[in-house]
Amino acid sequence: MHFISQELEDYIEQHSEKEPALLAALNKETYQKILLPRMLSGHFQGRVLSILSKMIRPVNILEIGTYTGYSALCLCEGMQENGALHTIDIKEELVDFQRKHFDKSPWRKQIFQYLGEATDIIPTLDMKFDLVFIDADKENYLNYFELIVPKMNKGGIILSDNVLWSGKVLEPLNPKDLSTKVLLEYNKLLANDPRVETVLLPIRDGLTVSRVL
């Protein structure tokens, strides 16, 4: 996941907006108590999500893949006062952990959790979104995109995480590696789909910003 040196990554964090105390505590507790803590967005990517949300000023936000709630709280920082964030995850054991930290935030009444398969839940959400963050199982990225696009407001932003997949997108494809296969197809789709305009940013494991036309 490290495409630049650790020293440069440290320099970037030191010269970016500081990590809010609530998120620093969530970060620490995730590493102490939860499996696979590297899945956390973390300080730098979290600040990227925050400033993008502040630029977009979304009313409705959809997040696919909550994990411990770090990225959700970052996205809420730019949400309008009457806004709501809807976040979906399949891991029941993380729901209470997420809620504990959500309830410590200013947006505790504006964050709605959904437990289950996102492909089942997204069609039930009767609203339009200004901002979507996809950070779940890679095998379903194409499915998520097709479900989301009709629910986007014009000019809305779709963020897709892990699109460089630790550099595997440049390696010879293992036929059994479905995640990489789908990500290769997904990246090609975003680059060519006339419904969006896209830029792929080399942030952490790759973050794509797609604007709906």
Side-chain angles (χ1 to χ4, degrees):
M1 189 180 293
H2 293 277
F3 297 110
I4 62 175
S5 70
Q6 186 61 55
E7 291 78 11
L8 271 176
E9 288 194 4
D10 292 342
Y11 183 87
I12 289 167
E13 286 194 6
Q14 292 163 9
H15 293 80
S16 297
E17 190 72 16
K18 298 295 184 284
E19 185 179 40
L22 174 62
L23 291 173
L26 172 53
N27 193 335
K28 182 178 180 180
E29 189 171 355
T30 298
Y31 272 83
Q32 289 174 336
K33 299 179 179 179
I34 307 298
L35 291 173
L36 302 175
R38 69 192 294 269
M39 289 173 58
L40 191 85
S41 289
H43 175 191
F44 174 58
Q45 185 174 358
R47 292 305 85 205
V48 172
L49 296 177
S50 169
I51 204 163
L52 287 173
S53 184
K54 289 170 182 173
M55 293 166 67
I56 297 163
R57 297 292 293 143
V59 175
N60 288 320
I61 304 172
L62 173 63
E63 178 183 53
I64 305 172
T66 316
Y67 190 47
T68 56
Y70 191 100
S71 53
L73 291 171
C74 294
L75 295 169
C76 282
E77 292 180 29
M79 186 168 61
Q80 294 190 32
E81 290 185 6
N82 63 332
L85 180 139
H86 303 264
T87 185
I88 305 170
D89 206 286
I90 60 170
K91 295 184 178 179
E92 186 175 0
E93 66 272 19
L94 292 179
V95 171
D96 291 341
F97 185 97
Q98 298 159 5
R99 191 75 252 170
K100 178 179 73 172
H101 291 279
F102 291 160
D103 285 345
K104 294 177 182 177
S105 79
W107 311 285
R108 55 189 175 276
K109 295 182 179 179
Q110 296 166 270
I111 300 176
F112 299 91
Q113 295 164 280
Y114 300 82
L115 180 64
E117 296 287 346
T119 49
D120 296 328
I121 294 169
I122 293 169
T124 71
L125 301 177
D126 187 20
M127 65 194 77
K128 291 280 190 176
F129 294 100
D130 306 297
L131 176 59
V132 173
F133 183 41
I134 306 175
D135 187 17
D137 57 312
K138 312 313 163 192
E139 294 89 342
N140 269 310
Y141 267 37
L142 290 164
N143 296 326
Y144 296 149
F145 182 77
E146 294 300 339
L147 288 171
I148 288 166
V149 170
K151 291 182 174 290
M152 297 295 297
N153 283 319
K154 185 176 180 180
I157 299 295
I158 301 171
L159 304 174
S160 308
D161 200 16
N162 304 116
V163 291
L164 294 179
W165 208 222
S166 298
K168 290 182 181 179
V169 292
L170 292 180
E171 298 173 0
L173 179 64
N174 181 337
K176 296 181 181 180
D177 185 354
L178 181 58
S179 293
T180 302
K181 180 178 183 294
V182 172
L183 281 174
L184 287 167
E185 294 177 13
Y186 184 70
N187 291 341
K188 185 175 181 180
L189 171 67
L190 292 187
N192 295 286
D193 195 308
R195 296 172 292 178
V196 296
E197 55 182 353
T198 291
V199 61
L200 198 164
L201 305 176
I203 293 172
R204 288 190 80 227
D205 199 24
L207 179 71
T208 299
V209 181
S210 302
R211 178 175 175 269
V212 177
L213 302 175

